[in-house]
Amino acid sequence: MVLSPEKTTEKTSLLAGLWGKGKNSDSAPVNPPPHYGGTAPDSVESELVCSGEHGRAQKGLGIMLTSFFLVAQVAGVGVLALPWAIAQTGWGGLALLIGLGVCVGVCGVHLGTCWVILEERWPEYQRACRKPYPAMALRTLGKAGWYIVNVVQCVTLFGVSIVTILLSAEIVESVLNPLLPNVTVCTWLVVCGAVLVPLSWLGTPKEFWHVSVLALVAAVAAVVVVVIKILLEPLGEGTLHSAPTTQSFFLGFGAIMFSFGGAVVFPTIQNDMSDRTKFPHAIVVSFCALLVLYLPVAALGYMQFGTDVDTNILLMVHGPTVTVVEVLMLLNNLFTYVLIMNPLSQSLEEAVNLPTRFGWRRCLLRTSLVVVGVLVGLAVKNFGRILNLIGSFSVPFLTFVLPPIFYIRLCDSKENGNWPKRNLTPLHRAMLCLLVVVGSSCSLVATWTSLEALLAPSDSALNCFEV
């Protein structure tokens, strides 16, 4: 976040730098850092550690500023689907929302502690690291863990990019419907894809960190506008239900988990702190703020519209202020798409050994990603279906399952007798194992449910290819 000017020129990305082991880079290879204990780093580890060569922040973030960026990273399009999520789970969904928020926060605290342990045992990680999450996977689960984490992150990024395109098309249709009532969301999907193609060709948008601020402003504005509209204007009443089905419950679970999906980048934000040991304090502050932001719109949206609520709550309210919020969301989506696709594109470019400089092959690959995303959007049409799938599969895996496993593995490691000891009490271990079991079980059931809903014949109307 706050890097010295002379140290901000290095190409940065979340996933790039390991697949091809640097063979596609036009720059001189970086010498591996000195080794400080444990097993000698192999070529994969050397690439990973050297990914932080651009240097650590000279003036790192404090607790409050870190909390701000955490809230800005997590709060986004997921908040728009929360009333729909509560409609799937009934009023018990509010308790589920609080419970999942607490669990994700607890796992985030342990994930932050895992990075502190890595710095204690391998001082080379005390420099800025572009990919802290894969680094923890490599140190605890080996190369297999590194590849698994990167693949899941790629799937997550691609899924979120599809959600972004679909939501953008819905917003454009809503804003321009008075002027172009005959243009459908399917047409706007293609238009949004055409606009995003040249944006996807950008190299490394390092200066787009402002998107975090825009995302938070748009999310807060959406919550405020929806709450005020519901409280002050008669919008009609929906039908409430108190007995959700198993399928609807797990669909709601996926939507709620997606709203906490930004938690997967917690280690990246932690890397910008001046004192990374205080990251748990920032987690507590940020998740309290998130629940204050999430609960009103989730409860009031369900109370007002019931089971008739749309996946995108903004489509249920109208007026000039709503239009302003939709435009903010649209602008945020455009920049967010670039940030999401850039690390995914760089990772694939290194996997197929493409040069890092601008060229027709880069444009072809990135255009292909946009085209595939648009085609999937045309086949699904409802961004809630993809949102549920990502929230059911990859988000729980990265936020519920892996952090406790990382922490247990690091505490149990006896690789070097000189390392500071980390004691894990039986109760603490049992709690972490419970999180892994519950998270894995709910994720599997929710993923299956989301796939069933995605492929259900009754949803053929959501397919733009159907005549």
Side-chain angles (χ1 to χ4, degrees):
M1 298 292 181
V2 188
L3 298 177
S4 57
E6 68 273 13
K7 294 183 179 180
T8 57
T9 57
E10 186 202 3
K11 174 175 73 67
T12 59
S13 82
L14 177 65
L15 301 176
L18 297 182
W19 299 103
K21 299 184 180 180
K23 295 179 182 179
N24 65 334
S25 176
D26 297 326
S27 59
V30 181
N31 293 327
H35 180 54
Y36 295 93
T39 57
D42 54 23
S43 58
V44 173
E45 175 67 2
S46 299
E47 293 275 0
L48 186 146
V49 174
C50 288
S51 66
E53 187 64 20
H54 59 279
R56 187 174 176 178
Q58 287 186 344
K59 294 181 65 176
L61 302 177
I63 294 176
M64 296 310 297
L65 197 53
T66 301
S67 302
F68 172 84
F69 279 110
L70 288 175
V71 175
Q73 189 67 46
V74 176
V77 299
V79 70
L80 302 179
L82 284 177
W84 181 87
I86 304 303
Q88 306 307 304
T89 56
W91 285 117
L94 293 177
L96 180 64
L97 174 61
I98 297 173
L100 290 177
V102 171
C103 290
V104 173
V106 169
C107 290
V109 168
H110 284 84
L111 195 63
T113 305
C114 286
W115 186 255
V116 173
I117 295 176
L118 255 66
E119 288 192 355
E120 289 177 353
R121 298 179 179 180
W122 298 279
E124 58 264 34
Y125 289 120
Q126 293 176 9
R127 294 181 295 171
C129 180
R130 290 183 306 180
K131 295 178 289 186
Y133 209 115
M136 288 184 279
L138 183 64
R139 288 299 188 183
T140 55
L141 303 176
K143 287 185 180 180
W146 184 91
Y147 284 109
I148 290 173
V149 166
N150 277 277
V151 169
V152 173
Q153 286 183 330
C154 284
V155 171
T156 304
L157 291 173
F158 185 66
V160 174
S161 73
I162 298 173
V163 172
T164 303
I165 297 175
L166 287 165
L167 182 60
S168 299
E170 281 192 359
I171 291 175
V172 173
E173 183 191 36
S174 175
V175 172
L176 298 182
N177 184 259
L179 299 176
L180 301 170
N182 296 323
V183 181
T184 66
V185 68
C186 297
T187 302
W188 289 122
L189 268 171
V190 177
V191 172
C192 289
V195 172
L196 291 171
V197 164
L199 293 178
S200 69
W201 297 345
L202 294 177
T204 304
K206 296 184 289 293
E207 304 303 324
F208 282 7
W209 66 268
H210 307 82
V211 175
S212 294
V213 179
L214 179 59
L216 182 57
V217 170
V220 172
V223 170
V224 171
V225 167
V226 169
V227 169
I228 291 177
K229 284 282 185 180
I230 292 175
L231 291 178
L232 300 183
E233 299 182 12
L235 300 173
E237 295 185 359
T239 303
L240 304 182
H241 74 266
S242 57
T245 64
T246 301
Q247 182 185 46
S248 67
F249 178 86
F250 281 103
L251 288 176
F253 169 86
I256 292 174
M257 283 303 304
F258 187 90
S259 69
F260 293 111
V264 301
V265 299
F266 280 1
T268 304
I269 298 177
Q270 182 186 18
N271 257 251
D272 290 324
M273 294 188 71
S274 56
D275 185 354
R276 302 179 189 182
T277 61
K278 294 182 179 179
F279 186 69
H281 298 85
I283 289 283
V284 173
V285 174
S286 61
F287 269 78
C288 289
L290 283 170
L291 291 177
V292 170
L293 187 67
Y294 284 177
L295 287 173
V297 69
L300 291 176
Y302 175 53
M303 181 185 299
Q304 185 68 49
F305 303 108
T307 55
D308 300 324
V309 67
D310 194 276
T311 311
N312 181 357
I313 187 63
L314 284 180
L315 300 182
M316 304 295 295
V317 292
H318 308 281
T321 54
V322 177
T323 301
V324 172
V325 172
E326 289 178 326
V327 172
L328 285 175
M329 279 288 183
L330 181 60
L331 292 174
N332 175 56
N333 284 347
L334 293 177
F335 290 113
T336 299
Y337 184 87
V338 177
L339 291 178
I340 290 171
M341 292 303 293
N342 191 265
L344 174 59
S345 300
Q346 290 188 10
S347 181
L348 294 178
E349 287 162 8
E350 295 205 6
V352 297
N353 205 27
L354 292 184
T356 57
R357 62 181 179 273
F358 184 84
W360 68 269
R361 285 183 290 179
R362 167 195 278 188
C363 294
L364 179 61
L365 185 144
R366 298 190 180 197
T367 300
S368 300
L369 288 175
V370 178
V371 171
V372 173
V374 171
L375 290 176
V376 174
L378 292 172
V380 177
K381 190 178 176 182
N382 187 335
F383 86 96
R385 294 290 184 254
I386 303 296
L387 180 147
N388 282 333
L389 185 59
I390 297 300
S392 299
F393 167 63
S394 57
V395 174
F397 180 74
L398 294 172
T399 58
F400 255 84
V401 179
L402 288 184
I405 292 177
F406 290 168
Y407 189 81
I408 292 174
R409 294 277 294 177
L410 287 172
C411 289
D412 290 346
S413 177
K414 307 298 181 184
E415 187 178 329
N416 190 322
N418 296 324
W419 286 341
K421 292 184 179 180
R422 292 276 178 170
N423 296 321
L424 194 59
T425 65
L427 180 61
H428 193 178
R429 184 186 299 272
M431 182 196 73
L432 294 177
C433 291
L434 181 62
L435 284 173
V436 173
V437 172
V438 172
S440 302
S441 303
C442 291
S443 177
L444 288 174
V445 177
T447 301
W448 179 261
T449 303
S450 298
L451 287 173
E452 283 186 329
L454 184 65
L455 303 175
S458 60
D459 283 346
S460 59
L462 302 178
N463 190 331
C464 290
F465 298 113
E466 293 288 335
V467 180

